[in-house]
Amino acid sequence: HLKYPKAYFDVQREIYKTYHMINPEVFYNKEDQWEVANQIYGVGSEMVPVDSAYTVMKLPDRGTEFLLMSAYTPRGKDNMVAWIAGGNDGEEYGKLLVYVFSKQSLVYGPMQMEKRIDQDTIIAPQLTLLSQQGSSLIRGNLMTIPIDNNLIYIEPIYLQATSSGEQNIPELKKVIVAYGDRIVMADSLSDGLVQIFGKGSEQQGDRIVGGQAMPTDIAQLAAYANELFQKAEQAQKNGDWAAYGEYMNQLRSVLNQMAPTSATD
């Protein structure tokens, strides 16, 4: 599969954050300047731009596509204002797609979610404690996944042992999950999803994902989501973007199946 070149796309997203303005006066005064969204990443809580990432997403009126995506925030603000994507499939290859969120609705940007994590009275002390146990705490890429006309945020937390002179492989220790006004940190994605959506509820419908029927019990759906998340993480480490995209697409389908439960919370 021929992928949209990431370096080329990153140049385009830099240009578009200014040249999306078509009104001459607005453009001259830079009244609607965008910036590439930032996140907290790695060791030491460093703020860095969110890396553009390949993903598979179902688009309105266009079906499921393999995309290279990045998010924008307004200049000087942290809410998400838009995302830009480059097509990787067939006739859509090389074409840019931009989705602008309504200014009447507040969509959390990655840094707003990072601040919610750092200010949470339950999660923040746990992160501090983990970082004091002789290991380096590493905050992974914050994943923003559209589901059920909303966004779910998933951030893996790794610990890397700091033994003498050796570079140890980071170990996944916790997973932070946020949806709507709820945010939790759990030992696994499945535990986090159960905390977000509830354990005993069931969803309707016999949907097929990855060649198998999805369970309807929330706990089983959460376990399946955790399995897909781990497979996606491994595929990403291996540089197998086709597999990564497929696992992420399946994960999104499972999360969509779980999402309606939140309406009853």
Side-chain angles (χ1 to χ4, degrees):
H1 195 291
L2 187 62
K3 294 188 297 184
Y4 197 108
K6 187 174 178 300
Y8 182 62
F9 175 79
D10 288 347
V11 171
Q12 289 179 308
R13 73 171 181 175
E14 283 294 316
I15 295 172
Y16 195 77
K17 68 185 187 182
T18 298
Y19 285 89
H20 72 91
M21 294 178 280
I22 58 177
N23 182 294
E25 185 175 349
V26 172
F27 176 81
Y28 179 79
N29 294 313
K30 300 294 188 291
E31 295 176 14
D32 194 22
Q33 179 75 33
W34 293 349
E35 298 293 344
V36 174
N38 290 315
Q39 67 172 341
I40 300 298
Y41 179 77
V43 181
S45 299
E46 182 181 0
M47 186 173 72
V48 299
V50 176
D51 199 21
S52 54
Y54 294 97
T55 187
V56 175
M57 180 183 295
K58 186 175 182 180
L59 300 172
D61 304 321
R62 287 179 51 160
T64 300
E65 294 186 28
F66 182 36
L67 302 169
L68 177 58
M69 293 185 61
S70 184
Y72 288 118
T73 60
R75 181 174 57 184
K77 298 181 180 179
D78 291 326
N79 59 292
M80 192 183 300
V81 67
W83 54 255
I84 184 171
N88 287 264
D89 295 327
E91 295 181 355
E92 302 303 325
Y93 181 84
K95 296 180 181 179
L96 292 178
L97 171 69
V98 178
Y99 182 88
V100 181
F101 294 102
S102 170
K103 292 185 178 180
Q104 277 66 51
S105 60
L106 175 64
V107 180
Y108 284 119
M111 274 307 299
Q112 286 181 312
M113 193 54 59
E114 300 284 16
K115 290 175 181 177
R116 284 184 63 190
I117 292 171
D118 291 337
Q119 294 169 1
D120 189 271
T121 56
I122 296 176
I123 295 176
Q126 293 185 56
L127 292 178
T128 300
L129 184 62
L130 286 171
S131 65
Q132 296 174 346
Q133 296 179 352
S135 299
S136 298
L137 186 142
I138 302 173
R139 290 169 71 153
N141 275 313
L142 179 66
M143 302 166 63
T144 305
I145 304 175
I147 62 167
D148 191 37
N149 297 318
N150 208 326
L151 295 172
I152 188 167
Y153 303 82
I154 301 172
E155 180 169 282
I157 302 296
Y158 301 91
L159 284 184
Q160 185 176 37
T162 54
S163 56
S164 56
E166 294 186 7
Q167 189 71 21
N168 295 291
I169 298 175
E171 176 187 358
L172 180 64
K173 195 68 176 178
K174 298 285 184 180
V175 178
I176 297 172
V177 183
Y179 182 74
D181 294 328
R182 306 187 66 182
I183 181 169
V184 301
M185 184 167 73
D187 292 332
S188 66
L189 178 60
S190 58
D191 290 343
L193 291 173
V194 167
Q195 291 182 48
I196 290 289
F197 295 118
K199 185 175 182 179
S201 304
E202 292 195 358
Q203 300 299 335
Q204 301 297 321
D206 298 323
R207 299 184 61 184
I208 304 297
V209 173
Q212 66 183 69
M214 272 203 292
T216 56
D217 178 79
I218 285 292
Q220 293 176 333
L221 282 167
Y224 187 29
N226 188 62
E227 177 186 339
L228 293 170
F229 174 70
Q230 292 178 338
K231 288 181 177 179
E233 286 265 291
Q234 189 59 51
Q236 185 181 43
K237 291 177 183 177
N238 296 338
D240 187 348
W241 294 108
Y244 173 78
E246 179 59 30
Y247 289 135
M248 287 301 297
N249 189 39
Q250 293 178 28
L251 175 59
R252 186 174 292 107
S253 295
V254 175
L255 295 176
N256 267 311
Q257 181 78 349
M258 300 178 71
T261 307
S262 64
T264 62
D265 289 343

